[in-house]
Amino acid sequence: VVVSDSAITYQDARLDMLVLMGVSILVGLGVAVWISLGVSRGLSQAGRLARAVAKGDLSQTATYRTDDEIGAVIQAFNVMTTNLRATAHVAETIASGDLTVEVKPLSDQDVLGLAMRSMAENLRTTAHVAEVIASGDLTVEVKPLSKKDTLGQAMQSMVLNLRDAAR
């Protein structure tokens, strides 16, 4: 059987095309797997950090070395954790009795920071009233913040009882 040059050229070209298509498919699959693994690792890091923060563990951080959307999400999680860590430190300071700490909310939308600032201000006011009472001045007016303000109500009762006892 005699095969013409054009048939041989056709067979060679066809084989080259099939090999090129196979290599392209393998390269495409390799790139897809590589991207998928990168995304999966990044999301896994973000998920691990979110779960730790959800449990109250603020010691964790996440690392991700690329400058893409997942890296931006992980960076945002790390900033959030750092801010929560700072807020927890302020709360620990107040809890230890140091009312001189300045509570600085991160923004006008910082619900936790605003509540902590209000709490610290109320505790400072209550401490000042207690100092006034301790100095012997029973003319101070104690006004509980709400019906559930047990400290304010106790202070108010104490002043009333001390006034009665002083008469």
Side-chain angles (χ1 to χ4, degrees):
V1 173
V2 177
V3 179
S4 68
D5 286 340
S6 63
I8 292 173
T9 302
Y10 169 78
Q11 290 295 334
D12 287 345
R14 184 170 174 243
L15 181 62
D16 289 346
M17 289 287 279
L18 289 173
V19 168
L20 185 59
M21 280 180 21
V23 168
S24 296
I25 290 171
L26 289 175
V27 167
L29 285 173
V31 168
V33 167
W34 179 72
I35 290 172
S36 177
L37 287 174
V39 168
S40 177
R41 281 188 204 114
L43 291 177
S44 175
Q45 287 281 327
R48 181 189 55 76
L49 181 57
R51 283 187 298 279
V53 170
K55 291 182 198 175
D57 181 1
L58 302 178
S59 67
Q60 302 294 315
T61 57
T63 54
Y64 191 72
R65 300 190 198 312
T66 62
D67 199 20
D68 58 7
E69 292 83 358
I70 293 172
V73 168
I74 288 175
Q75 179 64 25
F77 272 118
N78 283 332
V79 168
M80 175 187 69
T81 304
T82 299
N83 290 341
L84 286 170
R85 209 176 291 128
T87 302
H89 176 71
V90 170
E92 288 169 349
T93 302
I94 293 170
S96 73
D98 182 356
L99 300 180
T100 63
V101 66
E102 184 180 354
V103 180
K104 298 177 188 174
L106 299 172
S107 71
D108 292 340
Q109 292 80 35
D110 182 4
V111 176
L112 179 59
L114 292 169
M116 283 188 55
R117 181 173 66 188
S118 178
M119 177 186 66
E121 289 169 357
N122 292 336
L123 286 170
R124 280 192 284 275
T125 299
T126 301
H128 174 71
V129 168
E131 288 173 1
V132 170
I133 294 167
S135 73
D137 183 356
L138 300 179
T139 63
V140 66
E141 287 298 321
V142 179
K143 297 178 184 170
L145 299 172
S146 70
K147 290 182 179 185
K148 294 187 177 191
D149 179 7
T150 55
L151 179 59
Q153 290 176 7
M155 293 281 289
Q156 188 178 47
S157 292
M158 180 178 69
V159 169
L160 293 174
N161 291 335
L162 285 171
R163 283 181 192 158
D164 287 343
R167 290 184 194 162

